[in-house]
Amino acid sequence: KEDILYSLKAWQLGETSDGSHLMAPAVKYSKRVNEPEYPEAVKLFITEEQKHGNNLGKYIDLLGEKRLKKDWGDTLFRKIRYLNTSMELWTITVIIVESAAQVFYKALHDATDCALLKGICNDILIDEAHHIKFQNERMFMIFKEKNFYNKAISIGLYAMLFFATIHAIWFAHGKALQAGGVNKSGFMNQMYYRFFKSMQFLHAPQ
């Protein structure tokens, strides 16, 4: 409990966004590409993320613990999101964080003997797999619109964002990950594999 409680609370807080700052660029983007159904799909994505937050929050309540109202990692991530109006940056950021969530919730699952927490983690992991597929499909559409030079620049920026994000996550949640049997090297390798495997289309002929 001591190893995972802080991270459990922090990830629960991160899953509770109302999604309004994502909906604005989604609506703007959908109008640009003439895809009016896209915002509704994004709403469903947000609803599932909120479900994760609600389930984790109820679990924290059952433990007799207080939910976090503020966390430095969540605050930083929210500030970056609030300043961002680019659907591309939103999408690539979500892919990175959702990939990290897969590693984190699997580690959380393995760190506990509690059947309820394991069930919550399994439910989240099932959803995250579909979320990443959904975001990757959108990323493909955004990326293929770019010319050669913009693609090259974008790949470099994606890699920088990926590098910064995974180190911030390890710094904040390394203790919980290790409780689930994931050391730093294992986390970095899993993130590298998951992220770049899911982004294979960046190198595929268009």
Side-chain angles (χ1 to χ4, degrees):
K1 182 178 175 181
E2 290 180 359
D3 290 338
I4 69 173
L5 186 58
Y6 163 73
S7 293
L8 174 63
K9 291 182 177 182
W11 281 81
Q12 186 276 331
L13 179 63
E15 302 272 16
T16 59
S17 172
D18 65 6
S20 59
H21 289 85
L22 173 55
M23 286 306 304
V27 170
K28 180 181 177 182
Y29 169 82
S30 70
K31 291 178 179 178
R32 183 176 69 80
V33 298
N34 192 28
E35 191 176 344
E37 301 87 357
Y38 182 62
E40 288 301 317
V42 172
K43 283 183 182 178
L44 293 174
F45 162 72
I46 293 170
T47 299
E48 287 198 341
E49 291 294 313
Q50 292 171 338
K51 178 191 73 172
H52 301 166
N54 289 335
N55 289 342
L56 290 169
K58 290 176 182 177
Y59 185 79
I60 292 169
D61 296 341
L62 287 172
L63 292 177
E65 299 284 345
K66 292 184 178 180
R67 304 185 192 190
L68 284 184
K69 295 183 178 179
K70 192 174 184 180
D71 172 69
W72 70 266
D74 180 71
T75 299
L76 177 62
F77 186 54
R78 287 178 190 264
K79 286 185 180 296
I80 293 172
R81 288 185 301 180
Y82 294 168
L83 293 173
N84 173 39
T85 60
S86 164
M87 201 65 234
E88 177 182 5
L89 185 54
W90 264 104
T91 306
I92 192 65
T93 301
V94 170
I95 290 172
I96 295 170
V97 174
E98 297 282 82
S99 297
Q102 287 186 312
V103 181
F104 173 78
Y105 286 114
K106 178 61 169 62
L108 190 62
H109 173 280
D110 294 344
T112 181
D113 292 324
C114 176
L116 178 56
L117 183 54
K118 284 181 178 290
I120 293 171
C121 291
N122 282 332
D123 177 70
I124 294 174
L125 287 167
I126 290 169
D127 287 345
E128 299 294 23
H130 294 291
H131 292 175
I132 291 174
K133 181 180 179 182
F134 170 66
Q135 300 296 348
N136 276 335
E137 289 172 349
R138 184 57 46 182
M139 200 68 228
F140 172 79
M141 297 176 191
I142 294 172
F143 192 76
K144 72 177 182 180
E145 295 178 345
K146 298 174 177 288
N147 62 36
F148 172 81
Y149 298 103
N150 285 335
K151 285 179 179 178
I153 293 170
S154 295
I155 290 174
L157 294 175
Y158 299 162
M160 290 173 61
L161 179 62
F162 170 77
F163 184 85
T165 301
I166 63 173
H167 281 82
I169 291 172
W170 176 260
F171 177 79
H173 305 294
K175 187 176 181 180
L177 287 162
Q178 289 182 88
V182 181
N183 60 22
K184 184 176 181 180
S185 175
F187 174 70
M188 297 301 171
N189 287 335
Q190 285 193 56
M191 285 301 301
Y192 182 89
Y193 174 79
R194 288 175 185 274
F195 180 66
F196 287 100
K197 185 176 187 300
S198 72
M199 300 289 282
Q200 286 181 15
F201 67 83
L202 296 177
H203 310 288
Q206 302 290 323

